Amino acid sequence: MTSAAREYDSSQDISIEKKMDTSRALDVGFVRLTLALAGFAGIILIWVILQTTEAALPAMQQFGLGFLVTTRWNPVEDIYGVLPQIYGTLMTSLVALVFAIPLGIGTAIFLTEDFVPKWITAPISFAIELIVAIPSVVLGLWGIFVLIPAVRPIFRAINQTLNWFPLFGGPAPRGNSLLLVGLVLGIMVSPIIISITRSTFESLPRNLRDGALALGATRWETILTVMIPAGLSGIISSIMLAMGRALGETMVAAMLSGNANRINVSLMQPGSTITGLIASQFGEAGRTQVAALMYAGVVLMVLSLLVNVLAELIIRKFQNLQQAN
Amino acid sequence: MSSSAQLPSQEIDISTSAISPLRNYSGRILTILSGVFVAAIVLPLAWVLWDVIGEGLKQLSWQTFIETRYPAPGLTEGGFGHAIVGSLIVLSTGAVLSFPFGILAAVYLSEFGRGTRLAYLVKFSCNVLTGVPAILCGLFAYAVVVRGSGFSAFSGGLALGVLMLPIVIRSTEEALLLVSPDMRLASIGLGSTRFQTTMRIVLPAAAPAIVTGLILALARSAGEAAPLLFTSFNNNFWSTNLFGPVATLPVMIYVFSKIPFEAQRQLAWAGALVLLVIVLSASVISRYVVHKTKK
């Protein structure tokens, strides 16, 4: 379009031709600039991955894959392994999902299936958006001074009555534990499940629901046998995204897990996560220790990339299906 | 049930007497259960807000804002004025690094590169980058900057910039896509170049929505402590040096929550309230703006 205009002008007046040239150069330069920046944005992820891996390289060479199965973290002897942290990261994310999946899907149903009028659901969805906004370090502070004292008697009671059950066993719990981290993470990640599940339900064709109801299904039979199966891919990807968030959440884990460098089968005992380990040790780490912490960061990155890429692919596939319909 | 007076639900109402009690009651139980789930999510929020506001208000005074050094261990004299300034320095560094970059990259995605393979790649990597744990942005900034030149406000800004970038790109792109194609065609029809069309027509039209996205990006990273722990680090004293360690509110809360002195704990609560007010008001304002522009 612009080149046609230029030809027209150039036949008329040389001064305009000159002006058109500078503005055309500006135009082309601008487009190229945005192209370059977009390209750079596309490789930033790769840059982050490469740079972190490069910083972890000394530790990777020194400890190899044994790093993943070693249970000691000893800066004095320079022996490092993150098995307890991998265990803690997976366990806290698992506990978080055990809470967040029913809470999230239940709330999403509650908000979409008009059980209650809109003047009740609107403030609820607003409150759920606020949960996402609360800084995790504030939640951690609140957890230390309010939540831990509050759950301690409950944990102790459960621990005493169910001591034979491995997950709740061990000595009298003090409160800070993998279970507590998982609980708080569960509340933190359920808004992700709620918002994606909700928009999935809202995007489902209306006649699916109407058809089930017309066939005589009750409201809940419709939800359980038609809506949830139809929206399953959306729900699954929301769960994956929530898991990715739980894997990488740092401050809550660093402040409430107890940062104990060992594997406890009991969820009520202190543990540690990869993020908590990095946060609590990095500030005053020596050279080998920094490399080891970077290595731990790479392990975390692999875990979270796996989960996030999978979630992203599921969402894309789902979107393509929707567009095809 | 009766509140939604649509056809299907009325049919259910008519037929409830015919439904077996088992199906009827299990449905009712599930309804109550989902209500309980909602409460299980919303009540902790109320609990947190109650404590942070209560404890924070008790500790907050002008002194805490004006004093520009943390109290020495065991003493009570001090405040977090310098941590607020430090947070602002780190945040604005992140903004300077990510805003122009992100906005122009989004311009490419929405104006020039729609449907190209590069656009797909950028969006994919942005979405994945959004899911990358914030602490890894800190490790990245550590590897790039801190290894060479030590803890600095700049490295903290870089970490937050990486954190903000995908949010900026995504929200700006969405804002640009909302601008009507007619405006672009009209502008080009009048003889504007693509540069002029973008700068004079498209970006101004999308400005409110873009600014909302920028505020959200700022708000999200304002509360992040993890990427700052080993980049901007911490500082007990006043510092505006971009290339030296500075105090920030989130790091202060983390550090003081582990210290057994009452004065520090009080500062941590007061800081938590300040942070919460900033972050929540930013998200409320942006929500309000989005609401208004959608109408």
Side-chain angles (χ1 to χ4, degrees):
Chain A
M1 202 171 270
T2 40
S3 68
R6 180 168 164 257
E7 273 164 32
Y8 172 75
D9 283 326
S10 67
S11 64
Q12 300 246 323
D13 191 334
I14 296 174
S15 68
I16 294 179
E17 150 82 3
K18 258 189 186 160
K19 196 181 161 198
M20 286 309 287
D21 261 357
T22 46
S23 89
R24 200 180 128 72
L26 192 64
D27 186 44
V28 171
F30 177 68
V31 175
R32 287 205 183 132
L33 175 69
T34 61
L35 170 72
L37 289 179
F40 189 47
I43 59 168
I44 265 199
L45 176 67
I46 298 166
W47 189 23
V48 170
I49 295 170
L50 289 182
Q51 193 78 51
T52 317
T53 315
E54 187 264 321
L57 221 51
M60 287 175 154
Q61 283 162 347
Q62 192 176 339
F63 306 113
L65 288 176
F67 188 70
L68 304 178
V69 291
T70 306
T71 56
R72 293 178 63 196
W73 188 273
N74 191 336
V76 182
E77 297 173 47
D78 264 349
I79 298 173
Y80 301 105
V82 285
L83 188 61
Q85 282 74 24
I86 294 177
Y87 171 79
T89 300
L90 294 179
M91 280 318 266
T92 49
S93 309
L94 202 68
V95 173
L97 288 184
V98 165
F99 287 102
I101 292 173
L103 288 186
I105 297 178
T107 306
I109 291 171
F110 189 84
L111 293 177
T112 42
E113 294 294 314
D114 34 69
F115 290 117
V116 289
K118 199 165 187 301
W119 64 268
I120 298 181
T121 56
I124 291 176
S125 25
F126 180 61
I128 289 164
E129 275 176 47
L130 288 191
I131 295 178
V132 185
I134 296 181
S136 60
V137 70
V138 172
L139 280 178
L141 179 77
W142 174 79
I144 289 180
F145 293 115
V146 180
L147 192 59
I148 287 184
V151 298
R152 194 177 292 147
I154 304 171
F155 277 18
R156 291 223 162 126
I158 298 173
N159 171 260
Q160 270 175 2
T161 44
L162 292 174
N163 206 286
W164 52 270
F165 188 59
L167 287 182
F168 301 138
R174 287 195 317 204
N176 47 1
S177 56
L178 293 181
L179 178 62
L180 189 72
V181 174
L183 270 170
V184 178
L185 288 182
I187 301 285
M188 286 177 81
V189 302
S190 31
I192 300 174
I193 299 185
I194 295 173
S195 72
I196 298 179
T197 304
R198 203 179 159 181
S199 54
T200 307
F201 280 155
E202 277 163 1
S203 71
L204 289 177
R206 174 97 207 155
N207 45 15
L208 261 181
R209 187 191 324 232
D210 293 348
L213 290 172
L215 285 172
T218 64
R219 186 204 290 264
W220 273 99
E221 284 163 355
T222 309
I223 294 170
L224 294 177
T225 59
V226 177
M227 305 292 286
I228 290 184
L232 200 59
S233 52
I235 296 174
I236 289 175
S237 60
S238 80
I239 292 171
M240 307 281 292
L241 285 178
M243 183 169 175
R245 174 93 197 276
L247 287 174
E249 177 45 56
T250 305
M251 301 321 292
V252 165
M255 293 162 94
L256 304 181
S257 69
N259 290 318
N261 185 32
R262 57 174 179 270
I263 297 178
N264 269 313
V265 179
S266 170
L267 289 175
M268 294 205 162
Q269 302 303 322
S272 172
T273 67
I274 300 178
T275 52
L277 176 84
I278 299 173
S280 59
Q281 304 224 347
F282 211 107
E284 50 257 14
R287 176 170 287 200
T288 324
Q289 199 181 350
V290 163
L293 288 168
M294 284 283 181
Y295 193 177
V298 171
V299 174
L300 175 67
M301 182 148 58
V302 170
L303 283 176
S304 98
L305 283 183
L306 224 61
V307 171
N308 279 304
V309 169
L310 222 56
E312 185 61 23
L313 291 178
I314 295 175
I315 290 178
R316 295 217 169 230
K317 201 172 171 200
F318 182 56
Q319 278 172 345
N320 289 343
L321 276 179
Q322 271 191 330
Q323 276 159 10
N325 281 341
Chain B
M1 242 183 222
S2 53
S3 68
S4 65
Q6 287 153 343
L7 271 175
S9 50
Q10 267 182 353
E11 275 171 36
I12 292 182
D13 278 342
I14 293 166
S15 59
T16 33
S17 54
I19 296 174
S20 76
L22 180 69
R23 290 169 72 197
N24 216 345
Y25 279 121
S26 58
R28 220 165 272 177
I29 289 168
L30 284 173
T31 307
I32 294 169
L33 198 64
S34 73
V36 171
F37 285 169
V38 173
I41 290 184
V42 175
L43 288 183
L45 171 76
W47 192 9
V48 172
L49 291 182
W50 173 263
D51 280 321
V52 174
I53 294 171
E55 289 285 325
L57 281 182
K58 240 189 283 172
Q59 321 298 354
L60 214 55
S61 67
W62 280 119
Q63 212 64 29
T64 47
F65 284 105
I66 296 167
E67 293 272 348
T68 55
R69 59 197 296 177
Y70 293 143
L75 300 178
T76 53
E77 287 285 296
F80 52 58
H82 65 305
I84 294 178
V85 174
S87 276
L88 288 178
I89 294 174
V90 174
L91 275 172
S92 31
T93 309
V96 166
L97 291 175
S98 66
F99 285 3
F101 183 173
I103 292 173
L104 288 177
V107 163
Y108 177 79
L109 296 185
S110 122
E111 305 299 309
F112 311 134
R114 234 183 260 189
T116 60
R117 194 170 290 177
L118 176 67
Y120 179 88
L121 179 86
V122 173
K123 278 185 223 171
F124 185 87
S125 88
C126 271
N127 287 355
V128 176
L129 200 59
T130 316
V132 165
I135 195 167
L136 290 177
C137 297
L139 288 183
F140 168 71
Y142 181 93
V144 173
V145 180
V146 181
R147 271 195 302 177
S149 59
F151 299 120
S152 63
F154 175 76
S155 61
L158 177 65
L160 295 190
V162 175
L163 204 65
M164 287 187 236
L165 186 66
I167 310 176
V168 173
I169 293 181
R170 259 165 52 162
S171 58
T172 306
E173 195 208 351
E174 273 165 29
L176 292 175
L177 289 177
L178 287 179
V179 176
S180 146
D182 293 348
M183 291 177 73
R184 295 187 181 90
L185 288 179
S187 168
I188 291 183
L190 287 172
S192 314
T193 62
R194 289 170 293 180
F195 174 68
Q196 288 164 334
T197 306
T198 307
M199 283 302 179
R200 294 196 189 148
I201 308 293
V202 180
L203 280 178
I210 295 177
V211 170
T212 309
L214 299 183
I215 292 175
L216 268 184
L218 275 178
R220 199 199 136 184
S221 45
E224 286 289 350
L228 299 181
L229 289 173
F230 36 83
T231 51
S232 65
F233 203 57
N234 195 9
N235 196 333
N236 286 331
F237 305 101
W238 173 269
S239 166
T240 52
N241 180 7
L242 193 56
F243 298 101
V246 292
T248 53
L249 277 181
V251 174
M252 177 196 82
I253 297 171
Y254 173 62
V255 172
F256 284 174
S257 71
K258 299 187 302 181
I259 290 184
F261 295 110
E262 195 51 37
Q264 272 81 351
R265 274 186 200 179
Q266 290 173 354
L267 269 193
W269 278 111
L273 178 61
V274 172
L275 205 56
L276 201 67
V277 168
I278 295 172
V279 173
L280 290 192
S281 52
S283 65
V284 169
I285 290 171
S286 59
R287 192 185 139 95
Y288 176 75
V289 173
V290 169
H291 212 68
K292 246 191 154 179
T293 46
K294 270 188 184 162
K295 279 179 186 171

